[in-house]
Structures are given as C-alpha cells and as structure tokens.
Amino acid sequence: MSATPDPPGDRDPLVVAAEAAVMRSLVDPDHALQAGRFVLAAARRARHPEAEAVALRAIALAARELGDLRSAEHHLREAIATEDAPPERVAQARLSLVSVRTERGHPRQALHVAALAWSHLSPLDRAKLDTQRAVALARLGRHQEAIAACDRALRVLVTAPGTIDDRRFLAGGLLNRGLVHSYRGHWDAAMRDLTACLEISQRSGLRHLARLSAANLPFLAVRRGDIAGAFKHYREAEDTLFGFPERLATMRADFAGALLAAHLPGEARAMLSLAVPDLEASGAHVALAEARLKLAQVELLTGDPHRARQVAEQAAAELAAQDRTSWLPLANEVVLRARLALEPVTPALVAELVACADELEDDAAHLEGAAALRLVAAEAALALDDHPTASAQLARLTEHAEREEPWAPVGTRLTSLAAEPARTPDIPVPVRQHALALEASLQEDATGAFRAVRTGLSEVSERVETFDDPSLRAHAARAGERLAAFGLGLAVRGGCAREVFEFAERWRAVAAPSHACSPATPDRVRAGLGSGALVEFVADEDALLAVVITGERLALRRVGEVRAVKEAIVRLRYALRRRSAAPRRDPEVCDVGNVEAAGLEVERLLLRPLLAELGDGPLVMVPVGALHTLPWGALPCLRERPVTVTASAAAWVHAREVALSGRGGPPVVVAAAGPALAHAHAEVANVLACHPDGREVPGRTKAVLEALEAADVLHLAAHGVFHARSPLVSGITMEDGSLMAYDLLDIPRSPGLVVLSACNSGMSRAPVEGAPLGLPGAFLAKGSSCVVAGLVPVRDEAARALMSMFHELVATGLPPDAALASAAAKTGETGFACFGAGSRPLY
Amino acid sequence: MINDEYFLAALRLASGNDPIPGHVSAAARDAYGLRVPGAVTAAPGECAAAGGVRDGEGSHLVRFVTADLTFDLEVTIGDGLIDVAGHISPNPGEGALIDVKTPHLTLSRRITPTGEFAVTGLPPGWLSLVCHRVGQKPVQTRWVRIRP
C-alpha cells in the first residue's frame, strides 16, 4: 500500500504480510479474509499497531467484496481507531471507508471522511482517494466534480509504478468515470472507459474488477439499443457474479433501469423483484433506494398505481434520509402520476405536476423526463378546461420548434421547415410534436395537428430503421405510441374512414418489417379483395373501431369497448384450452357448448356491428391488441369462411404479391415431426401422401433450417411454446431443442406456405401495432406468403385429423385459407388460423 | 408451538409492554378491510394435468375447492399485466356474480351460463375471488400470489 516500493526483504514481515492481504482482497476475497485475520492476530500478539491497522483494512476490503458492508465498515473504523497506528495508515483506512460509507447511504459523510484523510496521504494515494470521492460526488448528483476528480486521479495513476494496487485504482477510476458518464447519458464515453477498465483488469489478473466492469455491459448495451446483446452480457455477468449477491443485485437493478428506459417494464420488473430483496439483505441502502424508485416506476407502468405510490413514497423517504435531494423529484413524479391514475384531476394536482416538471428541469440528467411530465401536466389542465395553464406549459415545450409560417407567400419558401424542425436535444421529438399537435388542435387547426403528428412519427420511424432485430424495432417504436394515439383520436373524431385507415396504416408502418412499409391505399387493397372484405381494427383509448374495405365501400364502424371484447376473447381461449386439456369422456368439460357459447359472445361483441358490411366472401382481418390472440375459426358465424390474419393492410398487399410471384409446377413439400407425440409421425406421412413432390426430414433444427432454403411448403408437427414476455424465444420443439423465432432472423428465405401443427405457434404479442412478434411474423418477414398455425393448445390426434384433411384440400386446388376453413368445419378443430395472405391456390 | 408464541406476544401487547407501531396497526386495518363477512373459504385443491396436447408448457393453473364448489383458474401473464380466466362448477345458478379482488380493487363480473368468467389487465400480486350466489353464503378463495 505504501507509495515507496521498497524491496520486501528490508521491511517488517508483518506489515508485508498485511499488505499482501490487502492486495489479495480484490483478487480472492475469501483467501484475503483468512490471511487478514491471521496477520491481525499475529500483529496484536506482537503489539504492532501498523500491521494491525493494515490487516484490519485487508479484512474490511475482503468483507466489502463479499457484500458485507456492515462488517467492512466495522473493521475500517477499528483500523482508524487503532492506537499508535501511523497517520498515513489511518488515512488509508479512511480512503477505503469513503466508498463504503457512500454505498451505505451517506455520501456527504463520505466526503467528510475523505477530507480528514487527504493531508496524510502521498500524492499517489490522493489520486486513489479521488477515485473514491468521485463515487460519493456522483451519488450526490455532482457529476461535473466527479468527472473532474476522476480525470485528475487518472492522470496520476497512469504514470504510477504499476503495483497491483496502482493498477486496481487505475482500473477502478476508469470504472467510476465510466459510470458517471453513463449517469449523464454519454454512452460512448462510458463504453470507452469500461472497456479500458476491463482490459487493464483482465491483463492484471484483477478478475473481480474485470467482472465488475463486465457487469455494467448489460446496462450499457441496452442504453445503446442492443437488447439481445444485453441479455447475453447479462447471462455472462450472472455467472461471473455468482457468490457476490450484493454486486449481482446491483447489476440487476442497473440493468432493470436500462430495460425500463427501453420500454420493457415487464423485463425490468422481473429483474427488480430479484434485486430488491438481495439489496435489503446486504444493507446496500444507496442501491436499494434507487432500485426501489425504479420498482415504483415499473409498478406504475405495469398498471398498479397503488403499489407505485406506496413504493415511491418509501423510496422518497430513503433518498431524503441519504441527503440525495436531486433524486426526490423523480420519486415525486411517480407519486403524482400514480395520483393522476387514481384520483380525479384537480387544479391543485395540475399545479403539483407543473412544479415537479420545473424541479426535474433543474437537473440536466432529467430534462427528457421533465418534458414528458410537462406534457402530462398540460393534458391534465386541458381535462379541467384550464386552457391558459395548458397553453403556457405547451409553449415551454414548443418554443424552440420552428413552425411552418402559415402566412409565408407561396413560392418564397424552398423547403418546408416543418419537415425538418430544429432539434432541441432536451425535449424528446415525440413529446415536442405532441405538444405542437395539441397546440394546433386547441386552435382548431386539424391540418396543422396532423402535420405535427406525422412529422413526429416519421422521426420515430427513422430511429426504428437503425435496428434490424424485430423486437428492438417494436420497442423503439413505442416512443411514438402516445403521439400516434393522439393522432388516431383526431382522425376518429373527424369521422372520415379514409383518414382513420391511412392513419392506422401509417402507425403500423412505423415498427413494421421493412417489406411492409410501403403504404397501402384503399384502392390497392380493393384490387386484391375480389368479393371479400378487409377489416382493420383500431383502438381509440377504450373504444374499439373497425375500418371495413370492400369492393364497393370504405366504412368506419364503432365496434364496442376494448375491455369487454378482450375479456370475451380470454373466455373463449380458456374454453378452448379446457376442452383440449380435458380427460376425454368428461362430459362436464368436453361440453362443446362452452366453446360455442364463448364463440357466440365474441361474435356478438366484435362482428355483429360489422356483419352488414362484410358480405360473404373471404375475410382479411387486421387485429389490434388482444385480437392477436383470437382464434377466428372458433366464431360460429365464420364457420367454413376463409379468414386471413395480417399485421397491416400493407403487409397483406405485400404477402399477396409474394404469393402471385410463386413459380409454377407442383410445390416441393417438406415435413418433419417433433418428439414426444403419438400422432406426429403419422400426420407427416398423411401430409406427404397428399403431394406428388414431398419428403420427410429429421425433426432436428438444422435439418429443418436447411429445408427452409429449398421447400415451397414446410409442415412441422410438434409441440409449440409461446413466451409472451420474449415472443421471439417462442418456438417449435424439435428433437435437439427449440426452433425459435430468433433462429429465423438470419435465414436467407422461407417457403411460400409454412404449416405449424403445434399449440400456440400462431400466438404473437404486439408491443406496438404493425409488428406482432412471434413465429408467423418471423416466417412472413423472410418471404413466406402464408403461415398456418395454432392459437391455442390442440390435441395431438385432433391436429392430425385436421392437417391431413387440410393438405388433401390444398392438393385439390383450394387456397390455404379456404382449405383451413373447410377442414376446421369438418373436424371441429377450430384453434388454427391462416396468417399473411392465404387466398392463392398452390395447385 | 406457534400458537403459544402468538399467545405470549398477545399478552405482552395487552399489558402495554410492547406498543404496536403505527404502520402495523394500519396494515392490520387494511388486511381486515379485505375480508368478506360470513364467507366460506375455498382452499387450494389438486389440478388435473393435461396429456396428449401439443403444448410445450402449461399456463398457470390454480384450483380452489369447498364442499360444494370448485373454482378452476388459469392465469396468463402478458406484457407485465395478468389475465384471469376461470370456471366454477357446479354452475352457481342464475344471478351469480364473481368478484376478482386485489388488495386495491374489486372487479365484479357476471358468470356465463356455462360457469365461466374472465378479467384482464390486473397487476401481478395478491389475488382472491369471491363467488356471490343468490340466497347462499358467499364463497371466497384463499389469497394467492401471482408472480410476474
């Protein structure tokens, strides 16, 4: 620990042993703890205060690495109190106490401890102290000073002799500076520092410090938009941090914060529910208060304002007790948003929202949150008809936005300024455009409002385009969700079917895979409908509406209430699942009447308002929300009627074009059976018997992926698993594991028709409309024009009967949608649906 | 045994040795407020496992039973919120209602003639159901914790 690298031979062996224990504490805390205790006992026997103080510090550092902050502090205080210990040894113990006090929730006291240590330390130790002060400064929100302290320290440490301890503080200083950079949202600078820290610590054998920097990679990866990579880093960090519960919990809490910012509240909740108890147990009060605040935010986002309010109030009390006043507005924001969800709006609540937005604005790190809250305050003021307050708040969000000057004479402007608004980095584009749209609609300027919304959505689109991974695209698009909802509401209130259709398609195109991005006009849709109809569902807050396009008409119809429809769908799915899971010959459950009744109820709520418009031809359904989980074939009025499900009208037009470009001649059919099913192989045999050019491949992922490249039709008979939380992990169970939607992201092509004879294989979750995530979407994105898949559990035997008949009908020249409708009617197995465009025969 | 410990604790409390912290009393009042007076409690029962289905994993199934009613529940977790679908047998009859309760809200639903019901968009956490039948005591399931 001393800055004078004396050869160990000339120095006191007890002090050398104690210093060796200090050095080991980071590399091997368990061993350092034993060594420290051993040296401490020897030093006390020999009445050697210097060795005693150093040994106590070694024990403390090891305890801290093992997550026992209380013991770390206790031993450091003992070291400081050691009688006759040299002042520089006491100062070194204080140096270590700085970060421990900070982590236990007393950053202000930590700075005081640092001040006491300063005068007795060598220049090199002062640099080390600075790396620790930085943590306390950052906790207090004094980011500028924290960065300055790290910069100063790192300049000294880079030229230090290079003992393991020097390198440890060099790497630690880089780690701390990287973390402060990330607090300030400077992700690239953060990544640079953390990568440098990782390199130095790996080279120096500081395995634990390497793990610490690696533990921040999940968080940083999310912030840089790489969620799949983040989960990979997370799994690695989870393994490397095993046995360090406090570090693991802190990593999870940080990761959760990033997931939260990436619009993944469900994932964040799962992380925090693991992290909070561990942080409570290890007494890490600082990290605990932050994790609790995040948990409050998650509770709010996942629909529990009561819990959100309770947890936020608890977090606020903890943060206040730690003098962390810069965090309090964040906790207050959660409380106010929760109250807004629970109570009627009052002038007092609006005033509090405005005040909280003002407070958030005082901190450079919270400007975006401040803007979002200001918009909420303006909307709340509008709910009270308090236009002056609303306008004043909106003006603060739009003052830097340049507008198209409505009075500029035609021809004097070369470019439309509204299409390229001035960028104000502090106000997120969707928030600013939403404010502009609200301002315009307050002045009854619908055209201006729509223009503002469109501009905002195309900005969101641009950001979405930077991602390839469909789930990242979908989650990036969520930034535009409230703006899109506002625009849709405007269109619905305008009552023009064409406008609602165009707007719904525009929003669906934001997150859609690139092939479905070219807009579909009603005329392009009509061109392929024949005698059929396309129904595009949209949700305007709690109201479910539908735009119906037929050869003759374009109509907007109010369908009903979103919640009632959703509950009816949940009941229908439940009835279907109970029927498939029932032990046969159980009359109580096998009663077909349950399914029939539940189907009639969905039909009554969802289709009765539309039946007059639908005619009796094939139907194309564009679902919204819970309708993505509806097995349409189970609705009695659609019996024997071809139905295709598609993510958007544009996606359907595209899939039809793909289907029409198919090559001539009999299709090449490939089929495979998964494990652990009695009827799967027989089904495959039946399917192949229907087609002149068919072959079976082994039920293994590699064989199936290879078959995808040449086949025109792929049929899989296997178990299916749907993961609502990570829909791209959903898959079909093959003999060697799951064939996941993720595996399909890199394939060069996909067969025109894919039939997934498996439970739940047609299930999708749409974080945003236009990009349902699941197996059907994954195949369609790779060039399939039609996917037939199950939306509920199906019985092994029933699936075989249905699929054998389906392929017989396809082989006689029926298109897939009609073949499925007919086979479902004949076998009574209604749990499958046809996705994409299913109206083109294969023969 | 545990009851003796409770008894001793109650004695200590009653003698004023151990004043009750305010938040404990508040929590007790909240918990007391959740009870349904006069209700019969339905206890957890065995769920039948499904076989011969092409489903890789069953969803969250819970069953509660009393002497004369069986509640079958299926909980599906979506995007952070949960949907609850269920079936009551034998059919509780005309005019029966089901209350789906969380510590903060109660949602009332009609039971279909086939004995089924559903609610959507609940926060994960503690959950209990109460079946109200005409002219009979209400039946309440035990509280069950649904983890996200």
Side-chain angles (χ1 to χ4, degrees):
Chain A
M1 215 43 250
S2 90
T4 49
D6 295 335
D10 299 350
R11 300 173 58 223
D12 188 306
L14 267 179
V15 176
V16 172
E19 282 188 349
V22 168
M23 297 288 180
R24 282 214 70 75
S25 65
L26 240 107
V27 185
D28 183 356
D30 285 306
H31 179 237
L33 199 59
Q34 286 173 334
R37 285 181 181 143
F38 182 77
V39 177
L40 178 64
R44 282 182 173 161
R45 276 197 303 274
R47 298 202 188 285
H48 194 315
E50 184 178 3
E52 190 179 334
V54 178
L56 281 163
R57 182 167 172 240
I59 293 170
L61 291 174
R64 179 172 173 263
E65 284 317 315
L66 295 167
D68 188 348
L69 290 171
R70 288 187 197 85
S71 161
E73 174 157 355
H74 168 77
H75 286 96
L76 287 170
R77 291 203 181 281
E78 262 197 280
I80 292 164
T82 306
E83 239 176 290
D84 300 326
E88 68 272 16
R89 294 304 190 183
V90 173
Q92 284 173 345
R94 287 204 167 104
L95 186 162
S96 302
L97 183 57
V98 172
S99 61
V100 174
R101 271 320 266 165
T102 303
E103 280 179 54
R104 294 202 68 198
H106 303 282
R108 238 177 250 291
Q109 288 178 19
L111 291 176
H112 180 68
V113 171
L116 291 175
W118 184 262
S119 56
H120 297 288
L121 293 174
S122 67
L124 183 57
D125 277 344
R126 283 180 187 174
K128 292 173 183 177
L129 178 68
D130 260 334
T131 64
Q132 305 304 293
R133 286 181 63 245
V135 182
L137 289 166
R139 292 290 193 198
L140 291 164
R142 292 156 63 180
H143 296 152
Q144 293 276 24
E145 294 166 76
I147 297 265
C150 284
D151 288 347
R152 204 169 44 228
L154 291 169
R155 273 196 296 275
V156 176
L157 287 163
V158 163
T159 58
T163 66
I164 184 97
D165 195 62
D166 297 344
R167 283 193 308 253
R168 154 188 156 180
F169 275 98
L170 175 62
L174 285 163
L175 175 71
N176 293 343
R177 189 172 69 180
L179 293 179
V180 181
H181 278 313
S182 72
Y183 290 147
R184 305 176 80 195
H186 301 164
W187 314 122
D188 292 336
M191 208 73 180
R192 260 200 310 277
D193 278 350
L194 286 171
T195 315
C197 166
L198 187 60
E199 253 174 62
I200 293 167
S201 39
Q202 274 172 339
R203 258 208 321 269
S204 314
L206 294 162
R207 279 196 314 273
H208 187 55
L209 206 49
R211 287 196 290 246
L212 283 187
S213 42
N216 287 287
L217 294 177
F219 164 86
L220 279 174
V222 177
R223 297 313 307 239
R224 299 172 90 215
D226 176 11
I227 291 175
F231 276 99
K232 196 169 131 282
H233 288 306
Y234 167 73
R235 280 189 292 273
E236 286 166 7
E238 210 177 21
D239 290 342
T240 50
L241 295 177
F242 184 78
F244 301 87
E246 183 224 339
R247 299 259 180 224
L248 181 60
T250 309
M251 184 271 285
R252 282 178 173 148
D254 288 343
F255 187 31
L259 291 168
L260 190 55
H263 309 284
L264 294 162
E267 305 277 15
R269 185 198 264 275
M271 286 294 147
L272 289 167
S273 60
L274 292 170
V276 168
D278 281 351
L279 290 170
E280 275 173 341
S282 58
H285 296 297
V286 164
L288 177 63
E290 287 170 34
R292 224 189 278 286
L293 175 58
K294 286 174 204 149
L295 185 60
Q297 292 168 332
V298 166
E299 301 277 14
L300 190 63
L301 288 170
T302 52
D304 195 345
H306 284 279
R307 287 279 307 147
R309 185 176 177 171
Q310 284 173 348
V311 177
E313 282 169 349
Q314 193 179 349
E318 286 171 0
L319 290 163
Q322 295 168 16
D323 298 328
R324 295 165 70 193
T325 46
S326 69
W327 290 74
L328 290 176
L330 292 171
N332 191 25
E333 177 187 4
V334 179
V335 173
L336 292 175
R337 283 178 180 264
R339 281 176 51 197
L340 202 56
L342 296 166
E343 307 164 7
V345 185
T346 62
L349 185 54
V350 172
E352 284 187 78
L353 287 164
V354 170
C356 186
D358 291 346
E359 278 186 11
L360 283 170
E361 221 163 59
D362 291 340
D363 188 329
H366 304 152
L367 290 174
E368 294 198 358
L373 188 65
R374 203 173 292 291
L375 183 64
V376 169
E379 287 175 320
L382 284 178
L384 293 173
D385 281 329
D386 177 358
H387 287 219
T389 303
S391 300
Q393 294 307 309
L394 292 173
R396 294 198 40 190
L397 295 171
T398 60
E399 58 198 347
H400 300 294
E402 297 190 35
R403 289 155 229 248
E404 212 167 350
E405 304 296 342
W407 53 83
V410 175
T412 58
R413 257 194 344 265
L414 293 173
T415 55
S416 151
L417 290 173
E420 298 167 318
R423 289 189 166 278
T424 40
D426 309 335
I427 296 177
V429 172
V431 172
R432 187 195 62 218
Q433 294 305 116
H434 196 146
L436 283 168
L438 265 173
E439 276 181 338
S441 67
L442 281 177
Q443 291 155 8
E444 301 194 352
D445 169 13
T447 316
F450 271 123
R451 192 173 45 234
V453 174
R454 285 197 190 105
T455 306
L457 287 185
S458 48
E459 289 254 0
V460 175
S461 278
E462 275 173 35
R463 223 166 322 154
V464 170
E465 280 312 308
T466 59
F467 298 112
D468 291 330
D469 179 315
S471 70
L472 283 189
R473 293 170 65 90
H475 287 293
R478 284 185 92 160
E481 211 160 21
R482 292 189 68 240
L483 182 61
F486 178 76
L488 183 70
L490 280 180
V492 167
R493 279 189 294 287
C496 166
R498 179 179 293 271
E499 214 162 54
V500 173
F501 174 75
E502 276 174 19
F503 201 87
E505 281 292 302
R506 181 181 291 273
W507 172 226
R508 284 183 158 100
V510 169
S514 38
H515 70 252
C517 285
S518 56
T521 58
D523 288 338
R524 277 186 80 194
V525 172
R526 278 200 186 102
L529 274 177
S531 64
L534 178 139
V535 184
E536 178 142 350
F537 289 94
V538 294
D540 176 30
E541 298 197 356
D542 303 330
L544 186 63
L545 299 100
V547 177
V548 183
I549 301 181
T550 59
E552 308 74 48
R553 317 197 39 172
L554 173 64
L556 174 65
R557 291 284 174 269
R558 191 165 286 274
V559 172
E561 208 201 351
V562 169
R563 189 189 56 87
V565 170
K566 188 173 174 189
E567 284 181 7
I569 291 171
V570 170
R571 279 202 303 272
L572 171 61
R573 291 182 51 82
Y574 179 61
L576 283 162
R577 282 195 298 260
R578 273 173 64 80
R579 190 179 66 180
S580 69
R584 258 165 306 169
R585 290 185 297 282
D586 177 346
E588 161 74 38
V589 179
C590 258
D591 180 10
V592 182
N594 289 10
V595 174
E596 179 92 5
L600 280 169
E601 180 65 9
V602 173
E603 190 177 294
R604 185 181 70 78
L605 292 169
L606 189 65
L607 293 184
R608 190 170 297 175
L610 310 174
L611 278 177
E613 320 283 346
L614 295 182
D616 51 11
L619 294 177
V620 181
M621 299 293 189
V622 186
V624 68
L627 299 184
H628 286 287
T629 67
L630 174 60
W632 295 89
L635 307 189
C637 74
L638 298 182
R639 191 185 149 89
E640 302 230 27
R641 186 155 167 168
V643 177
T644 300
V645 181
T646 179
S648 63
W652 177 74
V653 168
H654 172 83
R656 268 195 89 252
E657 285 164 1
V658 170
L660 291 171
S661 66
R663 54 185 195 86
V668 176
V669 180
V670 173
L677 285 169
H679 296 273
H681 282 283
E683 179 180 319
V684 165
N686 291 358
V687 166
L688 294 175
C690 300
H691 301 281
D693 188 358
R695 65 190 169 92
E696 181 170 5
V697 296
R700 306 182 68 80
T701 48
K702 192 163 174 287
V704 172
L705 284 168
E706 277 167 7
L708 286 173
E709 297 191 25
D712 301 310
V713 177
L714 172 75
H715 182 103
L716 297 178
H719 279 294
V721 180
F722 174 67
H723 290 280
R725 184 170 273 157
S726 310
L728 296 181
V729 177
S730 305
I732 305 292
T733 309
M734 297 279 104
E735 280 166 21
D736 55 346
S738 179
L739 176 68
M740 292 185 290
Y742 261 123
D743 297 328
L744 304 171
L745 299 186
D746 303 323
I747 57 173
R749 80 176 278 278
S750 178
L753 171 64
V754 174
V755 184
L756 303 175
S757 179
C759 292
N760 295 327
S761 51
M763 284 287 282
S764 297
R765 191 165 71 75
V768 291
E769 292 311 325
L773 302 176
L775 285 163
F779 281 110
L780 292 168
K782 286 295 171 183
S784 291
S785 59
C786 177
V787 176
V788 172
L791 282 154
V792 285
V794 278
R795 292 198 75 86
D796 189 14
E797 213 173 342
R800 172 187 162 187
L802 171 87
M803 287 302 171
S804 305
M805 185 159 298
F806 167 78
H807 280 272
E808 271 170 36
L809 293 167
V810 165
T812 62
L814 272 190
D817 59 358
L820 181 66
S822 176
K826 289 190 172 74
T827 59
E829 181 50 68
T830 53
F832 285 85
C834 182
F835 299 87
S839 55
R840 185 176 170 271
L842 274 78
Y843 288 90
Chain B
M1 279 317 289
I2 190 105
N3 285 340
D4 294 343
E5 287 169 26
Y6 273 122
F7 179 63
L8 289 171
L11 282 178
R12 275 201 301 276
L13 288 170
S15 63
N17 267 349
D18 227 349
I20 302 173
H23 70 270
V24 175
S25 309
R29 272 194 299 277
D30 287 346
Y32 188 70
L34 292 174
R35 86 202 192 293
V36 178
V40 178
T41 303
E46 281 290 309
C47 285
V53 173
R54 295 190 181 186
D55 189 358
E57 55 173 33
S59 44
H60 208 102
L61 300 171
V62 200
R63 172 173 281 188
F64 294 95
V65 289
T66 63
D68 63 345
L69 271 193
T70 299
F71 291 74
D72 274 321
L73 298 189
E74 182 181 69
V75 180
T76 319
I77 296 170
D79 189 7
L81 296 177
I82 58 177
D83 297 338
V84 180
H87 181 263
I88 296 185
S89 54
N91 194 325
E94 198 60 37
L97 282 179
I98 188 103
D99 285 347
V100 180
K101 292 168 78 87
T102 76
H104 303 293
L105 52 125
T106 299
L107 299 172
S108 280
R109 294 288 179 269
R110 216 173 265 297
I111 300 171
T112 64
T114 52
E116 285 172 1
F117 60 90
V119 293
T120 67
L122 286 173
W126 292 99
L127 190 75
S128 164
L129 283 82
V130 187
C131 176
H132 298 277
R133 293 170 296 176
V134 179
Q136 299 184 63
K137 281 188 171 177
V139 179
Q140 176 168 26
T141 69
R142 283 214 199 133
W143 287 86
V144 58
R145 187 168 189 189
I146 307 297
R147 293 175 189 279

Coordinates of all heavy atoms in Angstrom, one line a residue, chain A residues 740-773:
Chain A
M740 N -36.5 -21.6 -32.7 CA -37.1 -20.3 -32.2 C -37.3 -19.3 -33.3 O -36.6 -19.3 -34.3 CB -36.2 -19.7 -31.1 CG -36.1 -20.5 -29.9 SD -35.1 -19.6 -28.6 CE -33.5 -19.8 -29.3
A741 N -38.2 -18.4 -33.0 CA -38.4 -17.3 -34.0 C -37.0 -16.5 -34.2 O -36.7 -16.1 -35.3 CB -39.4 -16.3 -33.4
Y742 N -36.2 -16.5 -33.1 CA -34.9 -15.8 -33.3 C -34.0 -16.5 -34.3 O -33.3 -15.9 -35.0 CB -34.2 -15.9 -31.9 CG -34.3 -14.6 -31.1 CD1 -34.8 -14.5 -29.9 CD2 -33.8 -13.4 -31.7 CE1 -34.9 -13.4 -29.2 CE2 -33.9 -12.2 -31.0 CZ -34.4 -12.2 -29.8 OH -34.5 -11.0 -29.1
D743 N -34.2 -17.9 -34.4 CA -33.3 -18.6 -35.4 C -33.7 -18.2 -36.8 O -32.9 -18.5 -37.7 CB -33.6 -20.1 -35.2 CG -33.1 -20.6 -33.8 OD1 -32.2 -20.0 -33.3 OD2 -33.7 -21.6 -33.3
L744 N -34.9 -17.6 -37.0 CA -35.3 -17.3 -38.4 C -34.9 -16.0 -38.8 O -35.0 -15.6 -40.0 CB -36.9 -17.4 -38.4 CG -37.5 -18.7 -38.0 CD1 -39.0 -18.6 -37.9 CD2 -37.1 -19.8 -38.9
L745 N -34.2 -15.2 -37.9 CA -33.8 -13.8 -38.3 C -32.7 -13.8 -39.4 O -32.6 -12.9 -40.1 CB -33.4 -13.0 -37.1 CG -34.4 -12.8 -36.0 CD1 -33.8 -11.9 -34.9 CD2 -35.7 -12.3 -36.5
D746 N -31.9 -14.9 -39.4 CA -30.8 -14.9 -40.3 C -31.0 -15.8 -41.5 O -30.0 -16.0 -42.3 CB -29.5 -15.4 -39.6 CG -29.3 -14.5 -38.4 OD1 -29.5 -13.3 -38.5 OD2 -28.8 -15.0 -37.3
I747 N -32.2 -16.5 -41.7 CA -32.3 -17.4 -42.8 C -32.4 -16.6 -44.1 O -33.0 -15.5 -44.1 CB -33.4 -18.4 -42.7 CG1 -34.8 -17.6 -42.5 CG2 -33.2 -19.3 -41.5 CD1 -36.0 -18.5 -42.4
P748 N -31.9 -17.1 -45.2 CA -32.0 -16.4 -46.5 C -33.4 -16.3 -47.1 O -33.8 -15.3 -47.7 CB -31.0 -17.1 -47.4 CG -30.9 -18.5 -46.8 CD -31.1 -18.4 -45.4
R749 N -34.2 -17.4 -46.9 CA -35.5 -17.4 -47.5 C -36.4 -18.3 -46.7 O -35.9 -19.0 -45.8 CB -35.5 -17.8 -49.0 CG -35.5 -19.3 -49.1 CD -35.5 -19.8 -50.5 NE -36.9 -19.9 -51.1 CZ -37.7 -20.9 -50.9 NH1 -37.4 -21.9 -50.1 NH2 -38.9 -21.0 -51.5
S750 N -37.7 -18.2 -47.0 CA -38.6 -19.1 -46.3 C -39.7 -19.6 -47.3 O -40.0 -18.8 -48.2 CB -39.3 -18.2 -45.2 OG -40.2 -19.0 -44.5
P751 N -40.2 -20.8 -47.1 CA -41.1 -21.4 -48.1 C -42.4 -20.5 -48.2 O -42.8 -19.9 -47.2 CB -41.5 -22.7 -47.5 CG -40.3 -23.1 -46.6 CD -39.9 -21.8 -46.0
G752 N -43.0 -20.6 -49.3 CA -44.3 -19.8 -49.5 C -45.3 -20.1 -48.5 O -46.0 -19.2 -48.0
L753 N -45.5 -21.4 -48.2 CA -46.5 -21.8 -47.2 C -45.8 -22.6 -46.1 O -45.0 -23.5 -46.3 CB -47.6 -22.7 -47.8 CG -48.6 -23.4 -46.9 CD1 -49.4 -22.3 -46.2 CD2 -49.5 -24.4 -47.6
V754 N -46.0 -22.1 -44.8 CA -45.5 -22.8 -43.7 C -46.6 -23.2 -42.8 O -47.5 -22.4 -42.5 CB -44.5 -21.9 -42.9 CG1 -44.1 -22.5 -41.6 CG2 -43.3 -21.5 -43.7
V755 N -46.7 -24.5 -42.5 CA -47.8 -25.0 -41.6 C -47.2 -25.5 -40.3 O -46.3 -26.4 -40.3 CB -48.5 -26.2 -42.3 CG1 -49.7 -26.6 -41.5 CG2 -49.0 -25.8 -43.7
L756 N -47.6 -24.8 -39.2 CA -47.1 -25.2 -37.9 C -48.2 -25.9 -37.1 O -49.1 -25.3 -36.6 CB -46.6 -24.0 -37.1 CG -45.6 -23.1 -37.8 CD1 -45.3 -21.8 -37.1 CD2 -44.3 -23.9 -38.0
S757 N -48.1 -27.3 -37.1 CA -49.2 -28.0 -36.5 C -48.8 -28.2 -35.0 O -48.3 -29.3 -34.6 CB -49.3 -29.4 -37.2 OG -50.3 -30.2 -36.6
A758 N -48.9 -27.1 -34.3 CA -48.4 -27.1 -32.9 C -49.2 -26.1 -32.1 O -49.7 -25.1 -32.6 CB -46.9 -26.7 -32.9
C759 N -49.3 -26.4 -30.8 CA -50.0 -25.5 -29.9 C -49.4 -24.1 -29.9 O -48.2 -23.9 -29.9 CB -49.9 -25.9 -28.5 SG -50.7 -27.4 -28.1
N760 N -50.2 -23.1 -29.9 CA -49.8 -21.7 -29.6 C -48.8 -21.2 -30.6 O -48.2 -20.1 -30.4 CB -49.2 -21.6 -28.2 CG -50.2 -21.8 -27.1 OD1 -51.4 -21.5 -27.3 ND2 -49.8 -22.4 -26.0
S761 N -48.5 -21.9 -31.7 CA -47.4 -21.5 -32.6 C -47.8 -20.2 -33.4 O -47.0 -19.6 -34.0 CB -47.1 -22.6 -33.6 OG -48.3 -23.1 -34.2
G762 N -49.1 -19.9 -33.4 CA -49.6 -18.7 -34.1 C -49.8 -17.5 -33.2 O -50.2 -16.5 -33.6
M763 N -49.4 -17.7 -31.9 CA -49.6 -16.6 -31.0 C -48.5 -15.5 -31.2 O -47.4 -15.8 -31.5 CB -49.4 -17.1 -29.5 CG -50.7 -17.9 -29.1 SD -52.0 -16.7 -28.7 CE -51.5 -16.1 -27.2
S764 N -48.9 -14.3 -31.0 CA -48.0 -13.2 -31.1 C -48.3 -12.2 -30.0 O -49.4 -12.2 -29.5 CB -48.2 -12.4 -32.5 OG -47.9 -13.3 -33.5
R765 N -47.3 -11.4 -29.7 CA -47.5 -10.3 -28.9 C -47.1 -9.0 -29.6 O -46.0 -9.1 -30.2 CB -46.8 -10.4 -27.5 CG -47.3 -9.3 -26.5 CD -46.8 -9.7 -25.1 NE -45.4 -9.5 -25.0 CZ -44.8 -8.3 -24.9 NH1 -45.5 -7.2 -24.9 NH2 -43.5 -8.2 -24.7
A766 N -47.9 -8.0 -29.6 CA -47.5 -6.8 -30.4 C -47.2 -5.7 -29.4 O -48.2 -5.0 -28.9 CB -48.7 -6.4 -31.3
P767 N -45.9 -5.5 -29.1 CA -45.6 -4.3 -28.2 C -46.1 -3.0 -28.9 O -46.6 -2.1 -28.2 CB -44.1 -4.3 -28.2 CG -43.7 -5.6 -28.6 CD -44.7 -6.2 -29.5
V768 N -46.1 -3.0 -30.2 CA -46.8 -1.9 -30.9 C -47.5 -2.5 -32.1 O -47.1 -3.6 -32.6 CB -45.8 -0.8 -31.5 CG1 -45.2 0.0 -30.4 CG2 -44.8 -1.5 -32.4
E769 N -48.6 -1.9 -32.6 CA -49.3 -2.4 -33.7 C -48.4 -2.4 -34.9 O -47.6 -1.5 -35.1 CB -50.6 -1.7 -33.9 CG -51.6 -1.9 -32.8 CD -51.8 -3.4 -32.4 OE1 -51.8 -4.2 -33.3 OE2 -52.0 -3.7 -31.2
G770 N -48.6 -3.3 -35.8 CA -47.9 -3.4 -37.1 C -46.7 -4.3 -37.0 O -46.2 -4.7 -38.0
A771 N -46.3 -4.7 -35.8 CA -45.2 -5.6 -35.7 C -45.4 -6.7 -34.6 O -44.8 -6.7 -33.6 CB -43.9 -4.8 -35.3
P772 N -46.4 -7.6 -34.9 CA -46.7 -8.6 -34.0 C -45.4 -9.6 -33.9 O -44.9 -10.0 -35.0 CB -47.9 -9.4 -34.5 CG -48.1 -8.9 -35.9 CD -47.3 -7.6 -36.1
L773 N -45.0 -9.9 -32.7 CA -43.8 -10.7 -32.6 C -44.1 -12.1 -32.3 O -44.9 -12.4 -31.3 CB -42.9 -10.1 -31.4 CG -42.5 -8.6 -31.6 CD1 -41.7 -8.2 -30.3 CD2 -41.6 -8.4 -32.8

